[in-house]
Amino acid sequence: MHQIEHFFEGIGPVYAALLATTFTWLVTAAGASLVFFFRTLNRNVLDPMLGFTGGVMVAASFWSLLNPSIEMSERLFPGWSWMPAAVGFLLGASFLYFLDKLTPHLHINFGAEETEGMKTQFHRTTLLVLAITLHNIPEGLAVGVLFGAAAEGMPEASIAGAVALAIGIGIQNFPEGIAVAMPLRRNGVSRFKSFWYGQLSAIVEPFAGVLGAVAVMYMQPLLPFALAFAAGAMIYVVVEEVIPETQREKYTDRSVMGFIFGFLVMMILDVALG
């Protein structure tokens, strides 16, 4: 781990964020590649995997983002340490709320009549990819912001913590790739197209990661707000998208245990490595 930390310290925050979020994108592609070997995946497997994804995101939101935001605020805004975290969290959730209302998309296990956002004639495949793309924006942003915070010498953030977050996001991106590609394959889309759309859903992460790193490097006082912003956006995704998708069949208890396991994995990663 020390070697990885030294490597990222030596290449600068923007390039580090790009590499880390490229890794998370490639893990999504690895998950999507399972369509070359399987035509479908049973819901009793997929739902707990999606639950695991939600658990990782919730744990990352607190341990990697909100907690450092509050600690920074105690030093930067004495007497108002709660304010940046609260404002940033609300803005992040609101940002995803408006994206959700404006962008046409369809959640993975939902019927065509349950399309959300602006009315459109987009194909079901496009709507599915747009849904996961919205999901991935805050993940990439979170990784980039944390690398930027560490590069600025903030004692509450570290390269090791940013790497731990990238690893956690990468782990939970594997089932996301499966969750996009498998329904497409089941609906008759070719193996290659199913894989292509599955990996495409996470290509936004490197862009969001670089944006987050650049933003905090030039606006240091906004760091606590930016960390909380990413946390609010991630929690919105979990509550609005991930959890409802795991509660539509009879495997709800397994999904909850998947959530618990995902939370534990991310918490251990952050505390042990960060």
Side-chain angles (χ1 to χ4, degrees):
M1 183 65 187
H2 290 299
Q3 291 179 330
I4 296 175
E5 189 175 353
H6 289 315
F7 170 77
F8 278 106
E9 286 176 349
I11 62 176
V14 175
Y15 192 35
L18 177 61
L19 286 182
T21 49
T22 298
F23 160 75
T24 62
W25 167 37
L26 291 176
V27 177
T28 306
S33 70
L34 291 188
V35 295
F36 292 113
F37 308 100
F38 306 99
R39 184 179 180 86
T40 187
L41 192 67
N42 291 334
R43 290 294 299 274
N44 65 341
V45 176
L46 182 58
D47 284 355
M49 291 176 77
L50 288 175
F52 177 90
T53 294
V56 168
M57 293 177 73
V58 170
S61 295
F62 176 73
W63 297 102
S64 299
L65 300 170
L66 274 178
N67 194 48
S69 170
I70 293 169
E71 290 178 353
M72 286 180 193
S73 299
E74 290 174 350
R75 180 168 49 84
L76 297 174
F77 304 95
W80 293 86
S81 59
W82 57 270
M83 186 269 293
V87 171
F89 190 85
L90 179 61
L91 289 175
S94 299
F95 174 70
L96 259 292
Y97 172 84
F98 286 111
L99 274 186
D100 191 69
K101 294 300 179 186
L102 295 174
T103 307
H105 62 282
L106 178 65
H107 297 313
I108 295 166
N109 295 320
F110 287 36
E113 71 283 357
E114 297 176 276
T115 299
E116 297 182 7
M118 296 175 65
K119 298 301 179 184
T120 180
Q121 297 301 314
F122 287 170
H123 191 273
R124 177 184 173 89
T125 300
T126 304
L127 294 171
L128 282 169
V129 173
L130 284 172
I132 299 296
T133 299
L134 289 177
H135 185 148
N136 285 322
I137 290 173
E139 295 175 5
L141 189 65
V143 173
V145 167
L146 208 53
F147 270 111
E152 289 300 299
M154 292 289 188
E156 300 83 6
S158 66
I159 295 294
V163 171
L165 177 61
I167 292 172
I169 295 295
I171 291 172
Q172 62 97 38
N173 272 5
F174 188 82
E176 282 186 13
I178 298 172
V180 177
M182 286 297 181
L184 296 178
R185 179 63 183 149
R186 189 170 59 245
N187 291 335
V189 179
S190 70
R191 292 182 190 274
F192 178 77
K193 282 189 175 180
S194 297
F195 164 76
W196 178 255
Y197 287 121
Q199 64 81 31
L200 192 65
S201 65
I203 200 171
V204 69
E205 289 196 8
F207 294 99
V210 168
L211 177 64
V214 170
V216 299
M217 286 174 62
Y218 292 100
M219 297 177 287
Q220 191 176 112
L222 293 181
L223 266 173
F225 295 92
L227 289 167
F229 181 96
M234 289 176 71
I235 292 295
Y236 182 91
V237 167
V238 172
V239 177
E240 196 274 338
E241 178 183 340
V242 177
I243 291 177
E245 287 176 7
T246 67
Q247 302 298 301
R248 295 171 67 87
E249 297 289 338
K250 57 184 178 181
Y251 307 109
T252 56
D253 290 346
R254 295 184 187 183
S255 301
V256 172
M257 292 310 299
F259 181 98
I260 297 299
F261 185 62
F263 187 98
L264 284 174
V265 167
M266 187 63 236
M267 181 181 68
I268 291 169
L269 272 175
D270 194 88
V271 174
L273 302 181

